[in-house]
Amino acid sequence: MAEAKAIVFVVDDDASVREGLGSLIRSAGLRVETFASAQEFLARPRADVPSCLVLDVRLPGLSGLDLQKRLAEVNIEIPIVFITGHGDVPTSVRAMKAGAVEFLTKPFVDRDLLDALQQAIKRDRAARRQEAEMAELYDRYEALTPREREVMERVVAGLLNKQVASELGTSEITVKVHRGRVMQKMRAGSLAELVRMSERLGIRRANAG
């Protein structure tokens, strides 16, 4: 359970609840930061380590569901575990449909919360890993010259070297050189791998129908 670098954020307007949850979460080897309102939490810069949010549904000002919506609007992805003393089915369904990891009604079993936090942090860690991989992939693509990108677009679309050469008005030998550089810069071991990379990058031929 211990994720020494992970942070759990707790947003609850009840000081005793914040204190109790803080002690429980720290006992599981996790760092914790508590906030009395959604506005307080929003004022904090995004964490640069795996994290999740324990969020009370009913809060002064922005409610828990409002905060969930606000985070989505500004593209801040953080797994949320909702807690509430006033659980109802429509609210829990709304929260879960919007991506919440869990919806716990007070009083809940400590283990249920800790299990939910473990799941949430695991989800955030995976999302951050994927985000880092995509950033690296974009960096590789940005390193290609305009002509190398033109060659890549056509190669992954299934064109042969001579067809690429014809479209670009160059020689087949030159296309082979560019293609080799594309494979090297993108660190693709095969054409199939290059195709998968282009799909992840959303690359489409400019003149494709």
Side-chain angles (χ1 to χ4, degrees), residues 31-77:
R31 291 161 59 193
V32 62
E33 291 183 22
T34 62
F35 305 85
S37 69
Q39 289 85 348
E40 271 189 33
F41 173 72
L42 284 171
R44 188 203 190 280
R46 187 189 176 197
D48 57 0
V49 295
S51 55
C52 67
L53 177 60
V54 177
L55 183 57
D56 192 10
V57 172
R58 296 193 177 185
L59 292 168
L62 276 179
S63 71
L65 292 174
D66 289 337
L67 176 57
Q68 182 185 36
K69 183 179 179 182
R70 178 73 61 84
L71 291 172
E73 288 172 348
V74 295
N75 292 320
I76 295 178
E77 295 183 10

Side-chain angles (χ1 to χ4, degrees), residues 123-202:
R123 181 188 292 188
D124 195 50
R125 180 167 272 118
R128 286 171 181 273
R129 187 181 303 117
Q130 187 175 29
E131 190 178 299
E133 288 172 358
M134 281 303 301
E136 184 182 349
L137 196 57
Y138 275 115
D139 285 345
R140 293 180 203 169
Y141 183 68
E142 288 295 316
L144 300 180
T145 65
R147 179 45 62 98
E148 286 166 354
R149 291 181 196 176
E150 290 175 338
V151 169
M152 178 176 170
E153 287 172 14
R154 288 160 176 77
V155 167
V156 298
L159 271 64
L160 301 174
N161 287 346
K162 62 182 179 181
Q163 293 172 312
V164 176
S166 176
E167 280 200 9
L168 297 179
T170 187
S171 70
E172 192 174 343
I173 293 293
T174 300
V175 169
K176 284 182 180 179
V177 171
H178 285 309
R179 182 170 177 162
R181 287 176 181 162
V182 168
M183 297 292 284
Q184 183 180 26
K185 288 183 179 180
M186 293 301 295
R187 299 179 202 167
S190 65
L191 176 57
E193 190 176 353
L194 189 67
V195 170
R196 286 194 294 272
M197 289 177 177
S198 70
E199 288 173 350
R200 291 183 70 187
L201 289 165

Side-chain angles (χ1 to χ4, degrees), residues 42 59 97 118 132 141 165 203-204:
L42 284 171
L59 292 168
K97 277 188 174 181
Q118 187 175 32
Y141 183 68
I203 294 171
R204 296 288 181 272

Side-chain angles (χ1 to χ4, degrees), residues 12 102 109:
D12 196 301
E102 186 59 274
V109 179

